[in-house]
Amino acid sequence: MGHEPTTVSILGRDDIIIDFDIWGSYVAHDLLYNLPSSTYVLITDTNIAPIYVPSFEQSFQKASETASEAPRLLCYEIPPGETSKSRVTKAEIEDWMLAQKCTRDTVILALGGGVIGDMIGYVAATFMRGVRFVQVPTTLLSMVDSSIGGKTAIDTPLGKNLIGAFWQPKKIYVDLRFLETLPPREFTNGMAEVIKTAAICDEKDFVALEDNALAILGSLETQSENGTRSISSVKQTLKSVVLGSIRVKARVVSADEREGGLRNLLNFGHSIGHAIEAILTPQILHGECVSIGMVKEAELARYLGILKPGAVARLLKCINTYGLPTSLEDKRIRKLSAGKRCSVDEIIAKMAVDKKNDGPKKKIVLLSAIGRTHEPRATVVSDRHIRTVLSPEVRIFPPARPLREATCTPPGSKSISNRALVLAALGRGPCRLRNLLHSDDTEYMLTALAQLQGAEYSWEDDGEILLVQGKSGDLNASAQEVYLGNAGTASRFLTTVVTLAKPSTSHSTLLTGNDRMKQRPIGPLVESLQANGVHIEYLGRQGSLPLNIPASAGFMGGAIDLAATVSSQYVSSLLMCAPYAKKPVTLRLVGGKPISQLYIDMTTAMMASFGIHVIRSETEQHTYHIPQGVYQNPTEYVVESDASSATYPLALAAITGTTCTVPNIGRKSLQGDARFAIDVLRPMGCVVQQTDFTTTVTGPAKGQLRHLPKIDMEPMTDAFLTASVLAAVAQGDESNSVTRISGIANQRVKECDRIAAMRTQLAKFGVTSRELDDGIHIQGIPYASLITPSDGVYCYDDHRVAMSFSVLAMVAPQPVLIQERECVAKTWPGWWDTLAGLFNIGLEGEDYCGQRQHQSRSPTALEKSIFIIGMRGAGKTTAGAWAAHALGWSFTDLDNLLESETRCTIPELIERTGWDGFRSKELLVLQRAIRERSTGQVLACGGGVVESPEARQLLVEHHRGGGIVLWLQRDMNRVVDYLNADRSRPAYVEDILGVYHRRKPWFAECSNCEYLGTEADARSLFAARKDFSRFLAVVRGADQPLHRLRRKQLSFFVSLTLPQIDSATHVLQAACGGADVVELRVDLLRDPRVIHDIPTVEYVAEQLALVRSTIDLPLIFTVRTRGQGGQFPNDAPDELLGLLKMAVRHGVEFVDVELSSPEPLLQAVLECKRFSHIIASYHDVTGRLSWGNGSWVPYYNKALEFGDVVKLVGTASCLEDNHALQRFKSWAKKEHDVPLIAINMGSKGRLSRILNSFMTPVSHPALPSKAAAGQMSAAEIRHALSLMGEIEKKRFYLFGKPIQASPSPTLHNWLFHHFGLPHEYDLCESSEPENIRGVIAERDFGGASVTIPLKVRIVDILDDVTDAAKVIGAVNTIVPVASENSHRPRLRGENTDWQGMMSVLRDAGASSEDAEQSAAMVIGAGGTARAAIFALHHMGFSPLYLVGRSPQHLTTVASSFPGSYDIRILSSASAVGTLQSMPMVAIGTVPGDSPLDQSVREVLARVLRVSVGQGAQRTLLEMAYTPRVTALMQLAQDAGWVTIPGRDVLVAQGLYQFQHWTGIMPLLAEAKAAVAGSESEAS
């Protein structure tokens, strides 16, 4: 250093030293000279040590050379993070220091952030009863906060900083060069404390923060090759900012060292912020929580009438500008905390343990202005007020007494504020804007204009005046995206403003917003700019944000045509920027009468105030001439109050019969809504007095508002919501109280569809209304007839909905809940404060109550229609019919629809009109289908629909709007064979594969889902249909595999280590037995088509389809890189991303994403994941991380950002590593409700696999290798858990008589052993239910099978019976089900006979897919026949023929089933000839050891021998066990039927019993083999 560093005095000494580069050149010498010692102990963490310790060791050694006796420098490193701030770490340090023979003259150096400083300070305070220590803060937060003041502490399980001491450091060395290596998030984390000190003590410092924000943040974005950043450009600015904050804290600490009162001021933002931090730590940083706390505590001061709204807005903008969150709903907070909720009750409970509280009274630092506090200490605030400010919802209490007369000044007009900001920024010189609206919209506008470097801003008069230094239209393109939230006005104005920007470090600017903004239209404006030479690019949905706007330095100008029938803001946007075009502009508004002409007039009037006079053509309708020029800023411009917002306090007076005056809205207003009082309230019976600049309204007596038959609100469209709630309680004559509001078509494209919103929410109050294209009919009712909405008013995130219904709440019978209360921040952030403070209306804050069902006009993904595309012959019609059947929707083939509408076949249409004509007709059909069949339909498109660019755009818009466009694929060789044989369509004139490859990228572009069908024979058709239904459920978000897995006590996924699935399908089912999920290890696949290690997307899709068609389990798609222990190359992120995106498109339930992947890849997968669940994984293959020292916490935190499931895999070197892991899992479970897979690799890690209860990765003996060292099978883990007592042994039984010959014990005991379970299955022979009551009451009773004669009578001793068992009339299974209200499980009766029947029939290839061959037959009328009827109905067979000996019994059985079963009694052989469809499947339920009744035999002989077509399979299931070939089987076999013995059903139904008891579904083939083997041994 060439100069002495700056010092700051604290407690009377210059102990704080601050400057750049003092660590390596100054500190060691100063220590040795001013704090001499024999031993210096430097303690830091393992992250900081390699960066800063070596240089200090060198400087210390050099400084020591002149000492007579060289002192020791000892260094000690601890793991980073909050978990090190513990008793354990403190003890380790103290033991180490004692071992190093440190004495009382030791000086300890704490090098690090707040964790190091707090804990090492406490070590110094207690070691040898107190030794000297020095703070060397390395983070901005610790520089300005934790290192100053002498607070030291450690954390305990009960809270942070609860054990500690005041122990002042002897020196505090602040080297600002440390900030160059600080991550950006840590830097902004510290800025929260800098903003805090300026906000409470020094407005000048706060102004400096405002003025220098962009420069400071810009320095964070400039990185050198080594990952650091240079802050040279803001060196002095940064020093000044940090120095100012340090001086404030030093001054306060010096005046109140032990927190007697004044020092509490430093806790501004901390009362609420600390409570939030206690809930969200460690994922959310201290400064981030404090920034939210500052906003909420400032809002609390505003609510209490202490702080002006402008000051709150100014604070919020400053916090926002530095990239800090201002709300718990901030998308970064939601992401980083994995959506963890901070309930209001929990926050208030955490606040109760604040050290500065006065007993139960909560004390909060309240601002009275920027740089000034309300009191020189924290102020007592009631819980009720805190709750109201914190709550996301507010309940409004109807006033019991008349409201007092009030004068209410609404915030500045949003329309005028946004225009004034644009004009002043584009103008020359300074302009003071008064009464500017402080809202989300204007904040977005201010931030955006600052990003474009279009103006400089500063606040005056406590934020009531904004000084704008205009730059004459000199703007620069922004390298960072300009985010506008849901600020529609800002988005439309800025779209044109951004075209004025010059190239800078970027040649374009990305303009974007939230999800709602991405739906709002901006197309007409963009099209006009594009036509004028600006090459704007849509990055999402056509006609909406996001936009990429090139830096054009102005559009061309000249003649511009603009469609102005949707929004006047398009017109205003072009008008305001037109003076800066390259040629004078003539703006023609085309397409009909412009909407909201008054807003256009407002714009031209304001332009005149800024020196540019627009000439409206007298000869051309709707045409404007705008000269070139530069706006000349007036010295001062006063923004009118928002006339739309003014309607709410005026309406309060109208509806309650009181008086309200708005002082700055009158006859001379620029705003059309200023006419509301005259045109609407006066005719409704109010007394209205309006001067040039004021409006006063006195309402009639409560309940006496007169209804208006018609109100044309075109001049004041935003005020229609206010008019609507008044019309709801306005009364006409006895016959009619209907109000028709019109002229408001533009309100459908505001923050929401406001017309639909009003209809829906008014209905909750009992008010009937009807939507019109451009308006609404409202049937008024007496206010006494209103009902109170049970779930409150949903506001659609729309400020005007919230404020209008708060007016109606004044006359509701009970308090009304308004959801989304914070949405009013858009135009009137202090609206609730105004209600409570000015009008004295009672408010109570409420937290979210469960998941409210919000009624929105927009259909959800579950409702939106599905469009299927793909090559002809891919199976679109079949798949579409399957989908429609599964969803209960209608199915339309658009080719068939086209033929129906044109009344000719497609070949005829092409011959008549040519291909172009055909494509035009096809496009019209698609357009109409998307418009008219947007919900509840499945539609199959023609194979060539993607040939049309317009059709492609329609399909893209459908899926970007939340719908599904499914690209159905099939093996192209099969498709080619089909197309060559198909004569129903014109033959391809090109090579079919060539056509496919041309269309392939179009299919991909137009779709958001893909399904690759595998070839299915009759046996696998059901599995194919089931797999397709499962795929649909996943891509629509209707399936919840993660929810199901979390409900299980144990769950496993088996890792497929197969290089090629297609050559190993025979082992798949065995390998997946007992697993809940199957993992496809893509990195282990070997694609025979390529020579490198990366399989093609097409090959992986084929293997994926094979797995899904074979295994009915959810899938995990894993591409493990070499760096994470797999075989996929580390240097192929693009190929990796392509595979992961393919998995999402194919509806894979779980996608494993490695946390070591590049950040852009992680973000890309997160953004496209749809309904797939992300498993965020990290594998510590080198064993460098420890579960015990907190080193896993950063990986866990990062996993929470991206994962629905967290997977962390460490390495165990000893048994203790597994115990440490269990402690880590216990901590994680307490902190976050996010499922965690955490295990250790290696043989010593097997215990961790045994103890991991959720989605444990397992192998299987059938697989060629294990996926990881130490991996076990699911059976091995269950067996180990049994030995440990974690799986308790249960006893299962067969109840009935006689049962000695039953194979059930053999089956179930083999299954228990096979799957590693300790249970036993025994016989309990009895014919009386009472005899088994004691058995089922035993604690170890696990379940039972039930056979004759108890299948009906057993019901009397059970708690409940399933619907299937009720219909069948018999129970064959008892399942204990855990009860929420009792330790004793409930005993539920099941019937699995029908499931067993379905299973073996499907396994044999029986299917009801052919509508013409879907009849079935049941022989017999007993209990088994009922199960057979139930099974066949569920398989889709109809009609069902019933054959038996007793017509009476047959009639009794048939009549006991619903009519939808379509059961028909087949009573004679002669009736067989009259059957319209012959049975394809039959189930015999009569005894097999007796001859068939002659009449039954004659009927069966006729049915069985009837020919049904060549190749059609007919199947008989014989339920009789003996003899092996019954008379019925012989009869069927002689007629060519496939026969299935009943013993197969016995095994199959037993497997379903086993599944009900254990959650495991075994393989039928393995179980049959086990039973057969046992019987063979017995014989």
Side-chain angles (χ1 to χ4, degrees), residues 7 47 152 339 359 431 441 445 518 535 580 674 710 714 798 921 1166 1195 1219 1257 1299 1310 1330 1530:
T7 61
N47 285 344
T152 70
C431 178
D441 266 32
M445 180 67 85
K518 292 175 183 177
H535 301 294
Y580 298 86
K710 294 182 180 180
E714 196 276 336
D798 190 324
K921 296 285 187 183
L1166 188 66
Y1195 297 92
H1219 297 315
I1299 54 175
W1310 181 85
E1330 286 301 320
Q1530 189 63 58

Side-chain angles (χ1 to χ4, degrees), residues 183-194:
R185 187 181 173 205
E186 288 288 351
F187 182 89
T188 56
N189 181 46
M191 284 306 302
E193 292 289 346
V194 177

Side-chain angles (χ1 to χ4, degrees), residues 45 179 209 297 300 315 339 385 406 459 492 503 556 559 807 836 852 1028 1092 1234 1454 1567:
D45 68 43
L179 299 180
L209 289 173
E297 291 178 18
L300 182 59
L315 176 67
H385 290 151
W459 293 97
R492 288 159 181 164
M556 291 302 298
V807 172
R852 302 194 189 280
F1028 184 70
H1092 48 72
V1234 177

Side-chain angles (χ1 to χ4, degrees), residues 1223-1242:
R1223 290 191 290 273
F1224 179 91
K1225 289 173 70 173
S1226 297
W1227 166 80
K1229 182 177 180 181
K1230 182 179 68 174
E1231 292 295 320
H1232 284 277
D1233 187 31
V1234 177
L1236 171 64
I1237 307 166
I1239 56 175
N1240 283 323
M1241 291 183 287

Side-chain angles (χ1 to χ4, degrees), residues 435-683:
N435 199 39
L436 186 76
L437 172 67
H438 296 289
S439 71
D440 291 350
D441 266 32
T442 52
E443 292 303 324
Y444 282 126
M445 180 67 85
L446 276 168
T447 302
L449 290 170
Q451 267 186 263
L452 297 167
Q453 301 172 29
E456 294 176 358
Y457 306 101
S458 59
W459 293 97
E460 299 176 351
D461 190 21
D462 289 338
E464 297 304 301
I465 297 174
L466 179 69
L467 174 60
V468 181
Q469 292 285 349
K471 293 189 176 181
S472 305
D474 184 16
L475 291 82
N476 293 297
S478 173
Q480 299 296 313
E481 71 174 28
V482 176
Y483 180 78
L484 301 175
N486 195 22
T489 306
S491 72
R492 288 159 181 164
F493 288 0
L494 286 167
T495 296
T496 312
V497 169
V498 170
T499 67
L500 307 182
K502 302 176 306 193
S504 58
T505 54
S506 175
H507 290 277
S508 64
T509 300
L510 194 158
L511 210 61
T512 188
N514 65 11
D515 289 341
R516 172 60 188 158
M517 179 61 72
K518 292 175 183 177
Q519 302 296 317
R520 299 177 70 176
I522 201 166
L525 176 59
V526 171
E527 289 164 13
S528 289
L529 289 168
Q530 288 172 332
N532 203 246
V534 184
H535 301 294
I536 299 175
E537 177 187 4
Y538 289 114
L539 300 181
R541 177 180 176 179
Q542 195 80 6
S544 300
L545 268 60
L547 304 173
N548 189 52
I549 304 175
S552 307
F555 47 94
M556 291 302 298
I560 300 177
D561 289 347
L562 174 66
T565 55
V566 175
S567 174
S568 63
Q569 291 174 359
Y570 302 154
V571 183
S572 295
S573 180
L574 278 171
L575 281 172
M576 288 190 292
C577 296
Y580 298 86
K582 295 167 184 175
K583 293 188 292 186
V585 173
T586 295
L587 180 60
R588 288 191 293 262
L589 308 183
V590 298
K593 180 184 176 183
I595 196 164
S596 303
Q597 179 66 48
L598 286 172
Y599 284 99
I600 300 173
D601 296 342
M602 174 196 293
T603 301
T604 58
M606 290 183 66
M607 290 171 68
S609 297
F610 283 77
I612 296 291
H613 296 275
V614 176
I615 300 171
R616 186 169 181 177
S617 175
E618 296 179 357
T619 58
E620 297 178 81
Q621 193 177 28
H622 311 314
T623 300
Y624 298 83
H625 302 286
I626 307 99
Q628 288 178 296
V630 175
Y631 292 118
Q632 303 301 312
N633 283 341
T635 304
E636 181 176 280
Y637 188 88
V638 180
V639 175
E640 286 183 17
S641 286
D642 181 58
S644 298
S645 295
T647 64
Y648 307 120
L650 295 178
L652 282 177
I655 205 168
T656 60
T658 53
T659 300
C660 179
T661 298
V662 174
N664 59 353
I665 296 289
R667 287 190 294 262
K668 290 189 175 181
S669 171
L670 293 171
Q671 304 168 76
D673 291 19
R675 298 166 54 176
F676 182 79
I678 300 296
D679 293 355
V680 178
L681 296 183
R682 180 177 285 168

